[in-house]
Amino acid sequence: MQKGKYYGKFGGCYIPEILVATFEELIDEFNKIKNDKQFQEDYQNLMSTFSCRPTPLYFAENLTKHFNGAKIYIKREDLNHTGSHKLNNVMGQGLLIKRMGKTRVIAETGAGQHGVATATMAAKFGLDCTIYMGEVDVMRQRPNVFWMEQLGATVVPVCEGSRTLKDAINEAFRDWVANMDDTHYALGTACGPAPFPEMVTFFQSIIGKETHKQIINFENKLPTKVFACVGGGSNAMGIFSGFLDDKEVELVGVEAGGNGIETAQHAARLASDDASIGIAQGYKTYFLQNSDGQMNETHSVAAGLDYVGVSPILSNLSETGRVRFEAINDEEAIEALSLAVKKEGIVPAMESAHAFGQAFKEAKNSSSDEIIIINQSGRGDKDIFTIADAFKDEKWEKFIKFKAEGYNA
Ligand SMILES: *Cc1c(COP(=O)(O)O)cnc(C)c1O
């Protein structure tokens, strides 16, 4: 099947014949809920009771003073249940699963955040849940695997290929082909075959809708710029969709520069010249791949940004010039994170810290009548293992050794 929505030359739905009926059912159901007031009400109600919606838009007064430039606002998606924007998408798909009468959900996860969110949704809705995760990631992300299992999910380590996210995605599709009658695949970001890019964006657009209202309430005018980090692109599409039609608002997507885009160790698909257009994992977009179409190894200190593809909607918004793409490297992200903690008492996720890093660079050189908004996609205290390592905290290293040696008393 190659129909399905395109965004310029990107997107589509490249799936095996056997899944066509399943996709048609999903597209049908999605089209029904898009304009269904009752569904919207149920969704809003669920998110305001089970999670923390609307999340606050926070005026970062200390950071604003520190840079002495633009006014800095932060959209607090970190205050969602399970600690990031991911729950917006997962709970929406959960309501959809209930309507379709399916009883089982599967998902892929890299860092484990989407796995935890999906397992949480499955526990709440009483669904069977299987999470596919590369064997390497299972090793690296034990705390998240622990919670997925406590929530009742079966975590399947994938031993194919590089044993990371892309292999987990392939395995999830294989499961879906075998179990499509009772199973829904809750894809975690605005990527993959149609209707997923549009559907995930639809659920995440709650971020942008709220932010638009909130900034008008505070300032009675639109922001100059909106910054969001870009892994697959779901939190970025979520906040950007509130401002896409306001042409005067500049939208900035921030990718992982890793060790620097001049090295091969990064995940900058749209902010570097290293990616090329290809078809993989069911859709057409820019991929970090070699000339044979083999996917490259990518690198970022932020696991959630470390992905070879990118939302086809963002690829198109990059080509049309509506969204500008930048890369922030590991070191810059760590520095921005530390500054946000010290100046504001908030702890951005390592992913979100990339958006902070780029926003900080630009805030300095802006005038005080400009307003910038940063989407804080998640909270960093759950990333303590990564962040304490990145900060090279000696006392933390000692603590890890202490635990490893079995001194539990
Ligand atoms: C997963 C994740 C991301 C990256 O995913 P997108 O689909 O690009 O939003 C960014 N921030 C946090 C906190 C995440 O958990």
Side-chain angles (χ1 to χ4, degrees):
M1 183 160 122
Q2 289 190 21
K3 48 186 195 199
K5 206 160 185 166
Y6 279 82
Y7 309 90
K9 48 182 181 291
F10 307 103
C13 183
Y14 300 83
I15 54 169
E17 199 62 35
I18 188 167
L19 276 175
V20 168
T22 305
F23 268 77
E24 278 171 352
E25 180 196 9
L26 182 61
I27 291 167
D28 249 17
E29 203 61 47
F30 175 52
N31 284 336
K32 274 188 221 151
I33 61 141
K34 263 197 279 189
N35 300 309
D36 182 340
K37 285 222 170 74
Q38 186 61 49
F39 183 91
Q40 276 301 328
E41 227 170 80
D42 292 349
Y43 177 65
Q44 301 263 1
N45 199 21
L46 178 66
M47 294 311 288
S48 67
T49 53
F50 189 63
S51 193
C52 180
R53 303 226 70 95
T55 57
L57 181 69
Y58 165 65
F59 173 48
E61 198 178 351
N62 300 335
L63 284 169
T64 300
K65 280 202 187 117
H66 177 78
F67 289 113
N68 195 24
K71 269 180 122 168
I72 301 173
Y73 281 87
I74 298 170
K75 178 62 170 168
R76 300 291 307 275
E77 287 305 295
D78 57 307
L79 296 176
N80 267 302
H81 181 38
T82 73
S84 79
H85 68 293
K86 287 201 166 70
L87 203 75
N88 302 332
N89 166 41
V90 155
M91 296 313 282
Q93 292 201 44
L95 287 175
L96 206 62
I97 293 172
K98 288 306 243 186
R99 282 174 70 119
M100 290 190 293
K102 300 205 167 179
T103 55
R104 180 171 176 264
V105 63
I106 58 173
E108 85 295 345
T109 196
Q113 303 306 341
H114 178 55
V116 171
T118 304
T120 300
M121 178 273 281
K124 153 111 188 112
F125 286 138
L127 302 168
D128 279 339
C129 179
T130 300
I131 305 293
Y132 288 95
M133 193 166 181
E135 194 183 28
V136 173
D137 292 329
V138 172
M139 299 291 291
R140 286 194 288 209
Q141 307 290 344
R142 178 48 56 186
N144 287 331
V145 175
F146 172 83
W147 281 120
M148 283 179 242
E149 289 177 347
Q150 297 310 309
L151 287 157
T154 305
V155 179
V156 180
V158 177
C159 309
E160 313 275 309
S162 58
R163 298 173 292 152
T164 56
L165 179 62
K166 68 177 167 38
D167 312 291
I169 295 174
N170 295 338
E171 208 54 39
F173 270 110
R174 250 172 250 152
D175 179 317
W176 207 11
V177 166
N179 300 294
M180 55 204 168
D181 287 346
D182 68 349
T183 298
H184 173 71
Y185 177 8
L187 217 135
T189 187
C191 291
F196 283 109
E198 183 188 354
M199 189 166 81
V200 175
T201 297
F202 174 74
F203 291 129
Q204 294 293 1
S205 67
I206 194 166
I207 307 172
K209 280 188 200 132
E210 287 174 8
T211 309
H212 194 283
K213 263 194 219 140
Q214 289 165 320
I215 196 66
I216 295 292
N217 264 342
F218 277 126
E219 295 281 349
N220 205 21
K221 64 175 181 181
L222 288 166
T224 322
K225 297 175 185 179
V226 178
F227 294 86
C229 66
V230 180
S234 71
N235 86 86
M237 280 310 302
I239 194 160
F240 290 169
S241 49
F243 301 95
L244 271 178
D245 296 336
D246 304 310
K247 295 285 186 268
E248 67 272 39
V249 180
E250 193 176 5
L251 306 173
V252 187
V254 188
E255 298 183 307
N259 293 330
I261 56 170
E262 68 287 354
T263 72
Q265 290 106 38
H266 64 75
R269 293 104 346 149
L270 299 171
S272 81
D273 295 327
D274 293 352
S276 53
I277 298 172
I279 297 167
Q281 295 167 0
Y283 70 115
K284 186 172 181 182
T285 196
Y286 276 97
F287 287 98
L288 287 164
Q289 57 188 341
N290 69 16
S291 52
D292 297 330
Q294 294 291 333
M295 294 302 150
N296 294 345
E297 294 277 324
T298 52
H299 164 80
S300 170
V301 66
L305 303 186
D306 198 356
Y307 176 52
V308 288
V310 64
S311 175
I313 309 179
L314 286 174
S315 283
N316 187 47
L317 290 170
S318 171
E319 294 225 329
T320 61
R322 181 65 188 94
V323 178
R324 166 160 65 89
F325 286 85
E326 303 287 350
I328 283 290
N329 64 29
D330 289 355
E331 233 166 82
E332 295 170 314
I334 292 163
E335 201 177 298
L337 196 156
S338 177
L339 191 68
V341 174
K342 292 213 164 72
K343 287 278 168 213
E344 294 291 348
I346 57 170
V347 187
M350 203 52 107
E351 288 81 8
S352 321
H354 287 69
F356 281 70
Q358 186 63 32
F360 290 172
K361 273 190 193 174
E362 298 186 27
K364 289 185 232 196
N365 308 319
S366 310
S367 69
S368 60
D369 60 351
E370 293 186 37
I371 298 166
I372 66 181
I373 298 177
I374 306 169
N375 196 28
Q376 183 173 348
S377 53
R379 64 182 160 89
D381 47 349
K382 67 189 162 51
D383 298 339
I384 185 164
F385 286 88
T386 325
I387 293 175
D389 276 353
F391 283 4
K392 300 194 167 58
D393 185 274
E394 278 174 27
K395 289 174 208 148
W396 175 260
E397 252 173 58
K398 268 196 194 142
F399 161 72
I400 292 291
K401 278 200 193 115
F402 188 74
K403 290 295 268 185
E405 286 160 11
Y407 297 109
N408 281 315

